[in-house]
Amino acid sequence: MQLENYYWCFHGAIPSRICDDIVAYGKELKEQAGVTFGYDPDNMTPNELKKVEKERSSNVVWMDPVWIYRELHPLVHEANANAGWNFQWDYSESCQFTKYVGSKKQHYDWHTDSGPRKNENGKIRKLSMTVALVDGSEYEGGDFAFSECTSPDPVVSKQKGTVLVFPSYLQHAVQPVTSGTRRSLVAWFEGPKWV
């Protein structure tokens, strides 16, 4: 599918105090290893863990408080319209609060957020969103990149409160964080299968 806009960026759209509230809330919840599809973070063999960590090394917390969606939903609607995608979606998954630690060179290799499988509710991921919860001055590396197109300016996309929205089928990655800690919020928006 040829796209006029591969992503839509809102600079500093989430207020700093809301970013801080999300980080504080995330720190209160139980953290687990970030995994790729098909793995259970609480039940992996050492070999499975090693395989996953080659592709993805991060720590995550799952959250779905209404006050977070109140911030995100208007932005995903606006991006969907302004970018000209006009994808039909009607469901939000739990958000993922993600931490990448520089001393561990944590990263997430090339991947997409969607595929041929439907989720338990019969819907598929259509739009993905990532929110910078801390400013890029707090860490080095950790650039967000797309393989299909020119990636957003790292200086802009690392600005605290910046939101990127993109079609879930686009291949993307988070480059290794080399120092400090990168914290972000990821969300997915689902709808009926493509026709």
Side-chain angles (χ1 to χ4, degrees), residues 30-78:
K30 185 179 180 205
E31 193 175 275
Q32 64 187 43
V35 296
T36 56
F37 178 72
Y39 290 97
D40 176 354
D42 298 321
N43 190 23
M44 289 196 302
T45 67
N47 283 342
E48 288 174 331
L49 183 61
K50 188 181 270 190
K51 181 181 177 191
V52 167
E53 285 182 344
K54 276 186 167 182
E55 294 177 41
R56 178 183 190 178
S57 175
S58 63
N59 297 85
V60 301
V61 168
W62 297 98
M63 55 177 65
D64 57 3
V66 173
W67 60 271
I68 292 178
Y69 293 111
R70 274 198 294 261
E71 298 293 327
L72 305 184
H73 281 176
L75 296 171
V76 76
H77 282 297
E78 186 177 343

Side-chain angles (χ1 to χ4, degrees), residues 1-8 83 85 87 108-115 125-130 144-152 164-174 186 188 194:
M1 179 185 294
Q2 184 65 32
L3 297 173
E4 184 177 331
N5 295 292
Y6 284 84
Y7 62 88
W8 200 261
W85 304 318
F87 295 162
Y108 199 163
D109 210 349
W110 295 107
H111 67 285
T112 64
D113 292 339
S114 67
R125 288 179 175 173
K126 296 224 173 148
L127 292 164
S128 298
M129 173 187 282
T130 183
F144 187 93
F146 290 106
S147 67
E148 289 93 342
C149 64
T150 303
S151 296
L164 287 175
V165 181
F166 57 95
S168 298
Y169 56 77
L170 292 181
Q171 195 171 53
H172 56 284
V174 175
V186 180
W188 304 275
W194 302 108

